[in-house]
Amino acid sequence: MNNKIIIGLTGRFGAGCSATAQLLEVGNQFKRNSLSTVLKDLAKEDSKFLKLPEKYKRNYLQNLGDELRNKNGQEYIAKIIIDKLREENDSRNIVIDGFKNPAEVCLFREEFSNFYLFAIDAETEARRERTKEIYDKDLECFRIDDVRDEGTDEGPFSGQQVKVCMRIADILVNSDDQFVFEDGTKNNQAIEEYGQKINGYLKLIEKPGSRTPSLDEMFMHIACSVSLRSCCLKRQVGAIIVKKGKSLNEGNYILSTGCNNVPYGEKSCIICYRDEKKQDSIDKINFCSNCGQENISKNSTCSKCGEKLLNNYPGKLLDICRAVHAEEEAILQAAKLGISISGTTLYTSTDPCLLCSKKIINSGISDIIYLESYPMVQALEMLENCNVKRRKFEGVTSRVYNRLFLKDIAIN
């Protein structure tokens, strides 16, 4: 079993995980499994599930998954699949779709040394288009399931946590291309190109060091390495500013680096300063804005309607965070050294916030390549209005960078 390649797939629904699993099953003869199949098999025993319209079935399965993990442990569904794999006598490599919780990923990494997690991603508009028939064009129903699936409002080890799973993936793959035309016919060229991309990563897994890292992979790996200098309790972010050359072998210099940290001379946070200030403000609230319940001071949740008071607090309070952001630090470092960064490329492990976006624009940075999305619409709009190009990273992540690119050269 340990000699087999085991590919795990995670991603927001409609991104193309199921299509990728099918591609591996047919083109590369992988044995296909799915964590969601476990839930669907159990759900079929409930007549209420069978009668539900398609657009409501995902919510049912999300609730069922949460219930099973809360009752039996976060790794429960993954354990069922692992037991099934050990019972099967199949020589093929394995692809497993449907990783939703980071505990499931961690268990597979512990059990199988040759396990690689692929995060498949696509822009929201592309995913809506692909799932419009399932949701009967109900955008609000799609949005609710999408937020729930991503796990933005849930704890780090409860419920759906696709965003966290994507953050800890080994390989990131973008699938924004249109694979099926409006008339229902397949876009064979797009499908073939996507298949070649997946096969390229498989070849690298089968023979590490068979290619060198792309410039994006190398620079993002450096940005992620810089992020480890951060002492932030919430998220470690790294950024580097690069002067791109006219070709792969010309130029491509790193001009400055930065990570999110408190200003020089300040002590690192023991607790999150921003959360502390937010909680101080919430503690002064004595009624629920949702239902009007009074005397709820110092409670994080309304006892009457269950509304989270944090949901009613405006903004992310980035302006009172003590840290200098990674992008800011990289820009400031260049300024201190008298280096012009006009026309340069910024590699950052997290999409810039609004505060950093304004500085990026005025500093003359022309391109941004980011690893993890950051939900701040105002920042995206400002960057687009000011013609700063923004692109999501694709490729081997820092997690397995050395493992896949280090050549095994025998020493005489």
Side-chain angles (χ1 to χ4, degrees):
M1 176 68 75
N2 285 333
N3 293 326
K4 291 182 181 180
I5 294 175
I6 301 180
I7 302 297
L9 300 175
T10 188
R12 298 176 293 177
F13 57 86
C17 288
S18 297
T20 304
Q22 185 178 13
L23 184 151
L24 290 171
E25 181 182 30
V26 176
N28 297 277
Q29 297 185 336
F30 273 63
K31 171 68 175 179
R32 183 179 177 183
N33 286 275
S34 174
L35 277 76
S36 60
T37 299
V38 176
L39 299 179
K40 290 177 182 178
D41 289 343
L42 291 171
K44 289 175 182 177
E45 298 175 5
D46 186 349
S47 59
K48 293 180 181 178
F49 173 77
L50 298 175
K51 294 176 182 178
L52 282 175
E54 284 298 318
K55 67 178 181 179
Y56 296 127
K57 286 186 176 180
R58 182 177 296 276
N59 181 261
Y60 181 101
L61 294 173
Q62 288 173 332
N63 291 334
L64 179 60
D66 286 2
E67 181 183 335
L68 290 172
R69 281 187 288 263
N70 289 330
K71 182 179 179 181
N72 304 295
Q74 302 298 328
E75 303 166 339
Y76 177 71
I77 301 172
K79 285 180 178 178
I80 293 176
I81 293 292
I82 290 174
D83 289 343
K84 179 182 177 183
L85 294 179
R86 296 197 186 284
E87 291 175 0
E88 293 175 344
N89 184 20
D90 197 312
S91 60
R92 289 176 291 176
N93 293 324
I94 299 165
V95 57
I96 302 168
D97 184 15
F99 282 86
K100 301 289 187 183
N101 188 284
E104 297 166 349
V105 178
C106 292
L107 181 62
F108 266 81
R109 283 186 171 141
E110 290 174 5
E111 294 289 331
F112 307 111
S113 60
N114 221 14
F115 172 79
Y116 292 87
L117 182 67
F118 282 52
I120 313 298
D121 199 16
E123 294 295 335
T124 302
E125 287 303 318
R127 296 187 298 108
R128 281 176 181 164
E129 180 64 24
R130 293 169 187 173
T131 58
K132 65 181 180 181
E133 298 302 325
I134 296 174
Y135 283 94
D136 195 24
K137 300 181 182 180
D138 188 337
L139 296 182
E140 181 60 18
C141 188
F142 172 93
R143 187 195 66 80
I144 292 172
D145 282 358
D146 197 25
V147 171
R148 172 83 177 276
D149 205 54
E150 191 177 72
T152 304
D153 297 327
E154 299 189 45
F157 286 101
S158 66
Q160 324 296 306
Q161 284 291 323
V162 169
K163 189 172 184 178
V164 178
C165 290
M166 294 178 71
R167 188 186 304 163
I168 61 175
D170 301 308
I171 294 171
L172 301 181
V173 183
N174 295 329
S175 65
D176 289 312
D177 291 335
Q178 185 179 11
F179 297 121
V180 180
F181 295 116
E182 291 185 4
D183 62 3
T185 60
K186 293 182 179 180
N187 183 347
N188 292 322
Q189 181 179 347
I191 293 171
E192 183 179 352
E193 290 175 355
Y194 183 75
Q196 290 174 352
K197 185 161 56 176
I198 296 296
N199 285 337
Y201 294 122
L202 290 178
K203 289 177 182 177
L204 188 60
I205 290 171
E206 291 168 353
K207 189 179 179 182
S210 56
R211 73 166 173 87
T212 59
S214 67
L215 287 177
D216 279 0
E217 288 168 330
M218 180 183 73
F219 286 134
M220 190 58 77
H221 173 61
I222 294 171
C224 290
S225 296
V226 172
S227 75
L228 301 181
R229 292 176 46 237
S230 169
C231 296
C232 182
L233 301 173
K234 284 285 188 179
R235 176 184 289 150
Q236 293 175 299
V237 182
I240 64 172
I241 297 175
V242 175
K243 183 67 174 178
K244 287 289 190 72
K246 295 180 181 179
S247 67
L248 290 175
N249 298 317
E250 180 185 353
N252 302 306
Y253 303 110
I254 297 174
L255 302 179
S256 63
T257 68
C259 69
N260 57 323
N261 249 339
V262 295
Y264 300 130
E266 279 283 285
K267 293 182 179 179
S268 299
C269 298
I270 299 175
I271 59 173
C272 181
Y273 181 81
R274 189 177 66 186
D275 282 358
E276 184 181 30
K277 291 301 178 184
K278 181 183 283 190
Q279 191 61 51
D280 286 345
S281 298
I282 289 173
D283 286 345
K284 296 175 183 177
I285 299 174
N286 58 13
F287 71 95
C288 174
S289 63
N290 184 52
C291 70
Q293 171 81 353
E294 297 182 352
N295 301 319
I296 59 171
S297 180
K298 297 186 179 180
N299 289 324
S300 61
T301 304
C302 175
S303 59
K304 183 176 180 180
C305 71
E307 176 74 4
K308 293 181 180 179
L309 301 188
L310 282 170
N311 292 343
N312 299 321
Y313 199 90
K316 295 179 177 293
L317 294 181
L318 292 175
D319 53 335
I320 68 167
C321 176
R322 297 171 66 233
V324 177
H325 290 192
E327 301 93 327
E328 281 183 302
E329 175 61 22
I331 293 170
L332 290 170
Q333 186 182 100
K336 286 167 65 177
L337 297 173
I339 299 173
S340 172
I341 55 175
S342 179
T344 57
T345 299
L346 173 75
Y347 285 84
T348 176
S349 58
T350 301
D351 221 357
C353 67
L354 180 60
L355 298 175
C356 288
S357 294
K358 290 184 282 188
K359 297 175 177 66
I360 288 168
I361 293 165
N362 276 12
S363 69
I365 292 172
S366 59
D367 294 88
I368 299 171
I369 298 173
Y370 65 95
L371 183 65
E372 183 183 351
S373 300
Y374 193 73
M376 191 167 277
V377 176
Q378 300 91 333
L380 306 185
E381 291 175 347
M382 182 176 289
L383 290 168
E384 184 176 354
N385 291 339
C386 295
N387 298 317
V388 177
K389 297 177 182 177
R390 175 177 159 274
R391 174 165 59 85
K392 185 172 176 58
F393 170 81
E394 179 175 43
V396 175
T397 69
S398 192
R399 176 176 287 275
V400 292
Y401 187 87
N402 287 352
R403 181 178 177 182
L404 292 183
F405 290 125
L406 190 63
K407 293 183 179 180
D408 186 12
I409 301 175
I411 300 176
N412 295 325

